[in-house]
């Protein structure tokens, strides 16, 4: 295997600079989703029994149908709730797909950047095979970011609806349920922004990678003018 020729020159070109930005923003994309923890709570006013409160914690991968209110509502308000109450929906597929795309995007952009910095002479001297493979992978990741970001944006809308849903069996004045607040989801909103920002970066980099392939024909120099 040829020895690397380390050179920071590609980082001053769009080819390397965009790869570095892709890795940077991919970290934020999967960190804002994978590290999220939240909860939603209610205060309960019950006729003939002391007031109480209960909350349902939820987190990545957002299997909301497994988020149970604790303490159990079955022990409150003279057993108004015959069984445990859960949040609604399972959004794990969209959340996990988004995180997987972000993680693999980070790994690929990091590997591609290392290739540019150490083996650019092989990259540009391999008969166009490496640039072509790089272009196809970049196009594939662009498509994956489009699908993942769109699916996660829709899932986030449904997660907010699940958190905002009222408790069942709340019938004033016998049982009054007051929302006790929910964890702000600003970080998840930002994750959607990072998802579509990554889409733009990968679409943009596809052009600069395509220019490295043998299919790109540079424009011919202008013809000399008359003497």
């Amino acid at each position: 295997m040829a020895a690397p020729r380390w050179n920071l020159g590609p980082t001053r070109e769009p080819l390397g600079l965009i790869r570095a930005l892709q890795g940077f923003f991919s970290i934020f994309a999967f960190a804002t989703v994978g590290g999220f923890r939240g909860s939603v709570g209610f205060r309960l006013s019950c006729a003939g029994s002391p007031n109480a409160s209960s909350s349902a914690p939820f987190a990545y991968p957002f299997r909301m149908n497994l988020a149970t209110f604790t303490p159990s509502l079955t022990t409150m308000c003279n057993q108004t709730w015959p069984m445990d109450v859960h949040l609604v929906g399972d959004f794990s597929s969209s959340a996990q797909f988004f995180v997987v795309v972000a993680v693999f995007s980070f790994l690929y952009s990091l590997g591609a950047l290392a290739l540019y910095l150490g083996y650019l002479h092989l990259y540009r001297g391999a008969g166009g095979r490496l640039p072509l493979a790089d272009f196809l992978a970049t196009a594939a990741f662009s498509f994956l970011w489009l699908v993942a970001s769109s699916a996660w944006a829709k899932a986030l809308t449904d997660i907010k609806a699940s958190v905002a849903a009222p408790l069942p069996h709340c019938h004033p004045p016998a049982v009054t349920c007051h929302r006790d607040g929910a964890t702000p989801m600003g970080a998840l909103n930002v994750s959607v922004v990072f998802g579509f920002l990554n889409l733009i970066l990968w679409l943009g980099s596809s052009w600069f990678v395509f220019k490295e392939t043998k299919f790109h024909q540079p424009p011919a120099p202008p013809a000399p003018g008359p003497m």
Side-chain angles (χ1 to χ4, degrees):
M1 183 175 179
R5 302 176 186 174
W6 298 108
N7 179 17
L8 295 179
T11 59
R12 296 188 290 269
E13 302 176 10
L15 183 68
L17 179 60
I18 294 181
R19 285 291 186 229
L21 292 175
Q22 288 169 347
F24 179 76
F25 286 112
S26 294
I27 294 175
F28 283 98
F30 67 73
T32 49
V33 176
F36 186 83
R37 296 280 188 276
S39 66
V40 56
F42 286 89
R43 288 182 290 108
L44 311 175
S45 301
C46 316
S49 62
N51 296 343
S53 62
S54 183
S55 63
F58 59 93
Y60 174 82
F62 303 102
R63 293 187 175 95
M64 309 298 278
N65 57 335
L66 301 181
T68 307
F69 281 90
T70 55
S72 176
L73 294 175
T74 59
T75 63
M76 301 177 182
C77 297
N78 301 317
Q79 297 182 336
T80 298
W81 292 272
M83 60 185 65
D84 284 328
V85 177
H86 304 260
L87 297 178
V88 179
D90 182 355
F91 311 101
S92 58
S93 58
S94 297
Q96 289 174 327
F97 181 55
F98 183 84
V99 169
V100 167
V101 170
V103 170
F104 278 96
S105 295
F106 169 74
L107 295 176
Y108 183 85
S109 58
L110 197 66
L113 184 60
L115 176 65
Y116 301 158
L117 297 181
Y119 297 93
L120 190 62
H121 57 292
L122 293 180
Y123 179 83
R124 288 174 170 167
R129 292 189 300 272
L130 285 178
L132 178 59
D134 194 15
F135 172 73
L136 294 177
T138 301
F141 272 110
S142 300
F143 176 74
L144 289 174
W145 272 117
L146 173 62
V147 176
S149 299
S150 301
W152 172 235
K154 175 61 170 63
L156 180 56
T157 300
D158 295 336
I159 290 172
K160 292 177 180 179
S162 177
V163 171
L167 275 179
H169 307 301
C170 293
H171 305 295
V175 180
T176 305
C177 305
H178 303 280
R179 181 173 294 275
D180 202 18
T183 303
M185 298 189 187
L188 298 183
N189 293 333
V190 172
S191 71
V192 174
V193 175
F194 280 127
F196 285 104
L197 181 58
N198 274 287
L199 169 62
I200 294 172
L201 286 173
W202 283 87
L203 285 173
S205 67
S206 62
W207 166 247
F208 296 104
V209 176
F210 176 75
K211 289 173 66 176
E212 299 290 333
T213 68
K214 62 182 180 180
F215 298 104
H216 177 255
Q217 300 295 331
M227 296 297 293

